[in-house]
Amino acid sequence: LPVLQNISFQAGAGQRIAIMGATGSGKTSLVQLIPRLYEETEGTVCLDGHPARELDVHRVRSSIGYVPQEVLLFSGSVRDNIAWGNPEASAAEIELAARQAQIHETIERLPQGYDTIIGQKGVNLSGGQRQRLSIARALARRPAILILDDSTSALDVQTESALLQELKELACTTILITQKVSSTASADLILLLDEGRLIEKGSHQELMKRSSLYRTIYDSQHEEEGQHVQGIR
């Protein structure tokens, strides 16, 4: 049985597309078709109106910043980890990417700043710090397409909001896999997947009107936020 079936959508230049769905619904498989980590067996994935499979794969991937679910950091300096996304990036470009990813101030507080050595897989960093460092690495590539595969899950609402606002200023198309309605509200288009199928698509306002599933997710998350606020008073 195909992993993905009957999925069709269009992302305009500079738009933000949010993808939601339960574990195993095909979200990661869908976005991995874009950098051609998988090849489609039916249908066509197009980039700038051209079938992706007809384009040079290295050229395609060089225009994409991809942050996978599992953070991939290596033992070395913070600077080297960010520059791995673009080995030719200058110190100023690395700092800019860090600022955009909301990690610059954290780096500045480290013992040696950008020259601080981090352990294998970033063991001496928090989950949110590792995610933001990975996003900075992707932004250092100055990508035309930025893919974030559930890579803001460890960020608090305020940090995530600042990050999403910063990304809005960039001239890149952003595809965001998320489980959080706080992330989808600002998207130009939201895709709801279930078992490899697209069951609903639209803006936050449109889905609030016509999708009972989306409203259920929204209500449950707002209820949890309310309980959390009461709990810390």
Side-chain angles (χ1 to χ4, degrees):
L1 205 67
V3 174
L4 302 170
Q5 300 178 65
N6 303 320
I7 295 178
S8 178
F9 71 96
Q10 185 170 341
Q15 286 191 326
R16 177 177 298 162
I17 311 299
I19 305 175
M20 299 185 85
T23 301
S25 60
K27 304 182 298 295
T28 296
S29 297
L30 177 60
V31 299
Q32 288 184 341
L33 288 171
I34 301 170
R36 293 177 59 187
L37 299 180
Y38 295 112
E39 298 283 5
E40 70 273 22
T41 53
E42 291 182 28
T44 308
V45 176
C46 289
L47 298 174
D48 286 335
H50 304 285
R53 61 168 60 226
E54 294 179 6
L55 301 174
D56 178 74
V57 68
H58 298 293
R59 186 177 173 189
V60 168
R61 290 176 182 172
S62 68
S63 68
I64 295 172
Y66 178 47
V67 185
Q69 282 178 310
E70 185 177 348
V71 174
L72 302 172
L73 299 176
F74 56 83
S75 182
S77 71
V78 170
R79 186 187 313 280
D80 288 344
N81 268 275
I82 296 176
W84 192 62
N86 177 10
E88 297 178 4
S90 67
E93 289 170 329
I94 289 170
E95 182 178 320
L96 176 60
R99 287 183 182 277
Q100 292 168 333
Q102 310 301 307
I103 191 69
H104 171 72
E105 291 181 5
T106 300
I107 296 171
E108 289 280 88
R109 291 194 295 269
L110 294 174
Q112 282 83 43
Y114 282 82
D115 294 318
T116 300
I117 301 299
I118 59 176
Q120 190 72 26
K121 297 186 179 179
V123 291
N124 46 341
L125 300 174
S126 70
Q129 290 169 346
R130 291 195 296 270
Q131 285 187 336
R132 283 178 285 157
L133 205 55
S134 294
I135 293 169
R137 172 192 289 167
L139 292 176
R141 295 173 66 83
R142 299 188 297 278
I145 300 172
L146 177 66
I147 301 173
L148 303 177
D149 188 350
D150 204 20
S151 38
T152 64
S153 58
L155 305 188
D156 60 68
V157 174
Q158 187 176 356
T159 303
E160 183 189 46
S161 176
L163 169 66
L164 293 178
Q165 184 58 42
E166 192 68 46
L167 295 182
K168 216 166 197 175
E169 306 301 320
L170 302 180
C172 69
T173 302
T174 305
I175 299 177
L176 173 71
I177 291 179
T178 182
Q179 301 295 344
K180 297 190 283 187
V181 174
S182 58
S183 304
T184 64
S186 60
D188 297 287
L189 179 67
I190 302 165
L191 310 178
L192 281 181
L193 300 190
D194 183 47
E195 296 184 350
R197 296 176 182 271
L198 178 62
I199 59 172
E200 193 67 84
K201 66 179 176 180
S203 68
H204 172 76
Q205 290 77 12
E206 290 168 342
L207 294 187
M208 285 296 289
K209 286 180 182 177
R210 67 169 186 254
S211 172
S212 58
L213 173 59
Y214 188 77
R215 285 196 304 272
T216 299
I217 297 170
Y218 177 87
D219 291 341
S220 66
Q221 291 188 14
H222 271 253
E223 187 177 326
E224 286 177 13
E225 284 177 14
Q227 291 173 351
H228 176 68
V229 169
Q230 289 177 1
I232 62 174
R233 278 179 180 168

